[in-house]
Amino acid sequence: MTANPIASSSLQPAPSPSQRPARDSFWTRIATELAEAIGSGTYAPGERLPSEHALAEQFGVNRHTIRRSLASLCSQGLVRITQGSGTYVEDFAVDLALGKRTRHQQGLAQAGLRGSLVVLTEDTVRATAALARALQVPARSPLLALRVMGEVEGQPLHLSERYFPLPRFTNLAQVVRETGSITAGFAAHGVADYTRRESRITAEMPTNDVAQQLHQPAARPVLQVESLNVDASGTPIEWARAWFAGDRVKLTIDHHER
């Protein structure tokens, strides 16, 4: 709203544009209008917003102002900016249960979504002292290390680093590549059932690499989950650290036995 000139006096001059509250700036007004348009359904979930050039013409401002408005919406989790593609309305927030039997595909199926795991890298590493304790193997024992992307409906949901004792799970990476499922990988190695012994959840700021992989700003927090899975005899078979896109997932601790 424009300030009433009658309310100003020589003793209290009207604030200069640089002194005005941020709420009065062009970019915040545009961000508010776009947020309202998203909330009202003008722009549907998953829909691509008009280009920066088109928005600049629509609002009568330069593209720098539009970029600032879109960055604000992105930090609020309302849109995602994909380099070289455009800006899209965030289209889902998945409610995942962390319980005794946590399964990526099962959890998504219960939410009516389709997803899979994609192996990004595969390596053989030596167990650090911490990994050796968690997996109950001698220090510097060989481990299969996988970097995995969890996807849902074609969008990244979480990025994880997973470690498995060798030689027990030598071909697990190949099975996961073929099936998109850790559970299938375990089954191929004689593990018909497994359970989660513990999950530790913290909120943190992502590294640039993690933020890039999850298609989110580095300034937006992620949920980090460290977990340990064991086979039917209680022997540890997997230790993992996963980073979940904080605006796309809600994690629920399920205490019921399944």
Side-chain angles (χ1 to χ4, degrees):
M1 180 180 296
T2 304
N4 184 349
I6 299 176
S8 301
S9 70
S10 58
L11 296 178
Q12 277 189 313
S16 65
S18 62
Q19 295 173 320
R20 288 173 187 155
R23 65 176 178 273
D24 289 334
S25 64
F26 284 123
W27 71 267
T28 52
R29 293 180 189 176
I30 294 169
T32 298
E33 286 192 35
L34 290 174
E36 290 174 351
I38 291 171
S40 67
T42 301
Y43 298 115
E47 182 177 348
R48 183 180 183 274
L49 295 184
S51 67
E52 290 181 359
H53 178 73
L55 288 173
E57 287 193 342
Q58 176 184 336
F59 289 101
V61 297
N62 58 42
R63 292 176 67 177
H64 175 75
T65 300
I66 294 298
R67 287 194 194 102
R68 194 169 181 184
S69 301
L70 295 177
S72 174
L73 295 177
C74 189
S75 69
Q76 298 173 50
L78 293 177
V79 302
R80 67 180 184 279
I81 300 173
T82 304
Q83 193 71 22
S85 177
T87 302
Y88 297 82
V89 178
E90 284 290 7
D91 53 354
F92 60 84
V94 183
D95 190 351
L96 294 179
L98 298 182
K100 184 176 180 180
R101 289 179 172 81
T102 298
R103 308 288 190 265
H104 178 74
Q105 291 184 349
Q106 267 187 4
L108 294 177
Q110 290 172 359
L113 300 168
R114 292 179 298 124
S116 64
L117 300 176
V118 178
V119 177
L120 302 179
T121 62
E122 172 189 357
D123 200 4
T124 298
V125 300
R126 296 291 177 178
T128 63
L131 285 172
R133 284 194 299 271
L135 292 170
Q136 296 178 14
V137 297
R140 296 194 57 75
S141 293
L143 302 175
L144 171 64
L146 300 183
R147 189 171 176 86
V148 176
M149 177 68 71
E151 296 184 340
V152 54
E153 303 291 340
Q155 298 295 332
L157 184 64
H158 62 78
L159 178 70
S160 61
E161 297 174 349
R162 299 165 178 262
Y163 299 89
F164 310 85
L166 290 174
R168 184 175 183 183
F169 297 107
T170 301
N171 297 316
L172 186 139
Q174 179 180 344
V175 179
V176 177
R177 283 194 175 95
E178 294 172 352
T179 65
S181 168
I182 295 290
T183 300
F186 282 144
H189 289 75
V191 180
D193 188 27
Y194 64 99
T195 56
R196 179 160 295 190
R197 177 173 290 176
E198 65 180 23
S199 295
R200 297 183 180 183
I201 307 173
T202 57
E204 64 174 33
M205 303 307 293
T207 63
N208 288 334
D209 176 58
V210 169
Q212 184 177 20
Q213 293 281 0
L214 292 176
H215 298 175
Q216 71 163 60
R220 186 188 301 166
V222 294
L223 295 176
Q224 177 183 280
V225 179
E226 295 183 352
S227 59
L228 180 68
N229 287 326
V230 300
D231 63 16
S233 67
T235 301
I237 56 175
E238 176 191 17
W239 186 89
R241 178 188 289 118
W243 297 273
F244 288 81
D247 60 321
R248 296 174 211 155
V249 67
K250 179 174 71 174
L251 300 178
T252 301
I253 306 300
D254 186 353
H255 295 287
H256 297 287
E257 296 289 321
R258 283 188 280 172

